[in-house]
Amino acid sequence: MPELPKKKVGLIACSGEEIPEGTITRLAVRQVLESLRPEQTVTICLPLFLAGGEGDRAFARFHPTITVDGCAKRCAARST
Amino acid sequence: MKEKVLIVPCSGIGKSLGSVAREGAYVVTEELCPGRTQLMPLALLVLGDKETQIELSSAGAIAIDGCVRACAAKVVEGAGGRVAHGLQVLDVCRRHPDLKPSGISELDESGHKLAHALAEEVKELVDNMRGEVSHA
């Protein structure tokens, strides 16, 4: 039986610019993408969910997604 | 008292130019124009945070985008804000062909230099918006 390609896991960081925690989410996601799980993960910029096209907005429907938020407002989780 | 100019960088996470936009915004708000500018997080605008939208409606914004999809400018406009100036890092890059930034988590030296060049351009725009012409 042929082996089907495995679905990649989506990672979305809030990347909040105004607090250090936002930068930490961004750096942590980049570390997973670049070093820890480079073959198994993909990402997208959070604002593309609104500003991008239909394909961008469908990201979380195609990929099982992990959101990483820097504060209790949880922009990444709620926007996804 | 004059209103602060809002600085809205893109939240790009996949390209070096997104990181340049972010670092350039930090240079403006923390080093070149502290007290005259305010950093506005794009994620809160995407979410539709009311407090952030009220702040946005009270002042002009400079959007700094790292790619042609221009999320920062589009999201500011979509949230009811006024984009006084929309900058593309790619355009700044073209004005400095000697600088070839690389790195995302950690920008290289070219990336840091480009971020400072971008910040100087934004500072000029801030001065003009506030009627403070620099004679330096």
Side-chain angles (χ1 to χ4, degrees):
Chain A
M1 198 169 152
E3 193 169 317
L4 295 172
K6 285 186 180 154
K7 199 176 260 189
K8 292 195 174 187
V9 173
L11 301 176
I12 299 179
C14 82
S15 291
E17 289 85 4
E18 87 292 15
I19 54 170
E21 291 87 341
T23 299
I24 289 169
T25 68
R26 188 169 181 275
L27 291 175
V29 164
R30 285 303 318 178
Q31 191 169 344
V32 176
L33 288 163
E34 292 170 10
S35 313
L36 301 178
R37 294 289 185 273
E39 305 298 325
Q40 297 152 260
T41 52
V42 288
T43 191
I44 189 174
C45 314
L46 177 61
L48 271 177
F49 277 115
L50 278 193
E54 181 58 33
D56 300 309
R57 286 191 289 272
F59 180 88
R61 288 207 300 272
F62 286 109
H63 302 284
T65 297
I66 298 170
T67 57
V68 189
D69 276 297
C71 79
K73 291 196 171 181
R74 301 178 65 244
C75 296
R78 291 167 66 188
S79 300
T80 308
Chain B
M1 197 172 83
K2 288 180 182 173
E3 289 161 350
K4 289 183 178 180
V5 174
L6 303 173
I7 307 295
V8 191
C10 86
S11 293
I13 194 169
K15 299 181 181 73
S16 295
L17 297 188
S19 297
V20 171
R22 186 184 184 91
E23 183 167 320
Y26 286 144
V27 174
V28 171
T29 54
E30 293 175 5
E31 296 174 25
L32 300 182
C33 309
R36 298 188 292 148
T37 54
Q38 181 182 333
L39 191 66
M40 177 151 283
L42 204 51
L44 282 175
L45 288 177
V46 171
L47 184 68
D49 183 69
K50 290 291 171 206
E51 199 178 309
T52 311
Q53 283 181 333
I54 290 168
E55 284 180 20
L56 182 68
S57 65
S58 68
I62 296 177
I64 308 174
D65 276 297
C67 79
V68 293
R69 306 189 78 164
C71 292
K74 285 180 186 170
V75 171
V76 167
E77 285 173 351
R82 179 172 60 87
V83 179
H85 298 280
L87 292 183
Q88 280 281 346
V89 179
L90 197 58
D91 293 333
V92 183
C93 223
R94 290 193 182 107
R95 290 191 276 277
H96 298 271
D98 53 318
L99 299 177
K100 313 274 186 210
S102 65
I104 299 173
S105 302
E106 184 72 32
L107 284 172
D108 65 358
E109 191 183 347
S110 261
H112 290 302
K113 284 182 179 172
L114 192 64
H116 276 79
L118 165 68
E120 289 292 342
E121 291 193 17
V122 175
K123 178 182 177 292
E124 290 293 318
L125 296 174
V126 170
D127 289 345
N128 289 335
M129 285 172 71
R130 293 171 56 93
E132 300 163 1
V133 179
S134 168
H135 297 288

